[in-house]
Amino acid sequence: MMDFGTPVLEPGSANGTKQVPQFNPYQDNGGTVASIAGDDYVIVAADTRFTLGYSIPTRKISRVLKINDKVMLGTAGMQADTCALHKVISTRMRMYEHDNNKRMTFNAVSQMLSTVLYYKRFFPYYTFNIVAGLDDKGEGWVCGYDAIGSFEQRKIVCNGAGTKLMQPVFDNQVDWAQSWDGAGKPNLSLEQATDLMKDAFTSAAEREITVGDTLQIYKITKDGIQLEEFELKKD
Amino acid sequence: MFGGQDSKQHTVQPYVTGTSVIGLKCADGVVLGADTLVSYGSLAKNRKTSRLMTVSNHCSLGFSGEYSDFQEIKSTLEELMISEYCMADNIPMQPRAIHQYLARVMYEARNKQDPLYNQLVIGGVLPATGEGYLGLVDLLGTNYESEMIATGYGTYIALPLLRKAYRPDITVAEGRKVIEDCLRVLYYRDARSIDTVQISTVTKEGAETTEPFKLETSWDFKKFKAGSRLIDESTW
Amino acid sequence: MTSIGTGYDLSSSTFSPEGRVFQTEYAMKSVENSGTAVGARCSDGVVIAVEKVYHSRMMMKGSLRRVHFVEKHIGVGIAGLLPDGRQMVSKCREEATQYREVYGEPVPGRVLVDRLARFTHLYTLYWHVRSFGCSALVAAYDAEGPQLYMVEPSGMLMRYNACATGKAKQQAKTELEKLKLGELTCREAVTELAKTIVNVHDSTKDKLYELEMLWVCEESGRTAQFVPQELIDEARKAAEDEKDREDDDDDMDDA
């Protein structure tokens, strides 16, 4: 009978297993994306710093994809995968429009992204996404994803390198998580949300070296999408 | 293990390599620069290999990393340009398209766990406006556009110099000098570099790559001399 | 036709008792229904000219192009069914690319046309395929100098000093035979070929036509290029003027 159990020892190797240099197809290019959703708006923010180890090869890359004038996608993680993912989402979105003769709703986009990510479950896109948009009633929402497509719909999400620094602030300031029954929870206006976003990123840029350069804030309202750029620390 | 051997070999480590390529976007075009050395580890294997190529009338390309992989890329690009020629539709392929094409080629290769071990710098002009275009692709498919680009040691040594020298209205003539200076500094500090270099300029008038030429160098700097110590003159 | 009703023309894999393959001959007939194409090998290169008959008054200039490039130094002119011709052109490009991949240099004209002819010939051998309804004029310039070839639907390949195919090939051949090709330059040949096409053009049947020309010559840096449009227009106009004058003279003689 054939024995499959005994490992073949590679001659000349220390512990009997062959050491093969492996190509690592992944890379972390930093970046943070965050979104705050309100009753009639949602804002998507992302920094433009592109890092490679301790280097900053360029200070101006986009991490955000406009899907239509009600929905946007923000992606942190590996730039090449981000680029590929954005291409896939763009084509899928266009095909959806041709097939259904209407724009993709926030719900449709959020479900599709999950499927697209999970399709590569065993060779994932190294990306951390948020999908932000207005629903049919015009209310703002945002979905946060992990790399393989599990997601959750919330009012506030941040993803990527600065998450650990920023999420607690948002939990406290937006979700009112410290309150058991939510009494006294504020209802942020678009301006307040924008200011909070700026503060959160400015603070993250203080301690997280992969956050910095420029903050792009996209404001989605019933009137369309507006971009505001806000300068962060460059060091 | 049963039959324990890999059925296919992939590049997991580069062997014959070129060092940094640098590029600067200018108001009226773009300048690329690279030395002409390919190394085999610490051996200077070939001292006069061109690491820049002219892709089309308005696009140049420079590489660092594995030479054989670049040759493969080069021949696919030449094939692309011939099919472009045969189209004869008078619509020139834009540098941006060439950049995207290479990004797809590199990304597909990395997806197959068989990367093309290069960083490629694409320089060109947009034929319509004459505006410069400068982009990078690496072995993982990472791709971006920037006003200044450097690969390898150039990221640490040349990129800060390029950032300092850059102005939106810098001309190709000025840019050429900056690139030459950067190559000189790289030559002083990068042990895998050489003082024979090429510079490629792309303007509306066309893409042109110089013959390899020697950089003028000076080794008289006090701090290059044996025995000199930083603290003797430091104000720190 | 002798074969009607005998059944010997139904398959390209059947010979007639006289030893003919009718299907292949019919394929050649479809070339003869098409506009005339002529080519000439000159002292400094090769020129190909094609009479592109407009099938519709509303067709836009430049559509259904009949001259193509397959490599930097090789151009092809098509007479006959255009879709079939494009298939040939695609094959040529494929072969040129493959040759470059293997040998790292541009394919010699001789090798390319040989491969094209073999490809064309394959389509004359099996019942389940249709022969190509077109002929390809191939112009190349390489180490062997300027070359002109023609591949016909039968897969027949010949190298020419000058050749003609299409509707008025007989008349065109007679005209081409008068040329002193050894002394002619490509620039002069443009005029001559334009004259040939204009003279053989049957304006009673096909009113509108476009003159398409390519050359591979010293002037084009030994690369395949369209002959500059001004040059074509000029040559065509000169030829048409001359033809009008001759026609007038003939009328006078008649009177």
Side-chain angles (χ1 to χ4, degrees), chain A residues 137-178:
Chain A
K137 291 183 220 80
E139 188 180 348
W141 287 102
V142 51
C143 287
Y145 296 76
D146 71 1
I148 50 175
S150 75
F151 72 111
E152 187 182 29
Q153 193 176 112
R154 296 182 58 187
K155 280 290 185 183
I156 164 75
V157 178
C158 78
N159 231 339
T163 311
K164 274 195 270 184
L165 293 170
M166 286 160 57
Q167 191 69 52
V169 179
F170 290 134
D171 287 344
N172 172 247
Q173 294 289 307
V174 185
D175 264 356
W176 218 242
Q178 68 281 17

Side-chain angles (χ1 to χ4, degrees), chain C residues 143-212:
Chain C
E144 233 174 89
Q147 303 140 55
L148 172 67
Y149 302 90
M150 184 159 69
V151 177
E152 292 180 63
S154 57
M156 186 167 75
L157 161 68
M158 281 207 272
R159 190 169 166 179
Y160 293 88
N161 285 314
C163 65
T165 185
K167 240 173 227 183
K169 68 173 177 193
Q170 283 310 335
Q171 205 186 335
K173 270 188 209 165
T174 321
E175 295 226 5
L176 290 173
E177 278 163 14
K178 293 179 203 154
L179 301 176
K180 289 201 169 60
L181 291 167
E183 298 161 24
L184 214 59
T185 66
C186 282
R187 213 162 232 278
E188 290 160 346
V190 167
T191 322
E192 295 301 329
L193 293 190
K195 214 185 282 177
T196 310
I197 295 285
V198 167
N199 284 341
V200 304
H201 173 70
D202 185 353
S203 51
T204 52
K205 283 202 193 115
D206 313 309
K207 277 222 150 48
L208 290 174
Y209 76 101
E210 202 176 311
L211 185 54
E212 286 186 349

Side-chain angles (χ1 to χ4, degrees), chain A residues 187-198:
Chain A
N187 204 1
L188 296 183
S189 69
L190 176 59
E191 289 68 34
Q192 285 173 311
T194 309
D195 286 344
L196 177 62
M197 192 62 94
K198 288 176 187 170

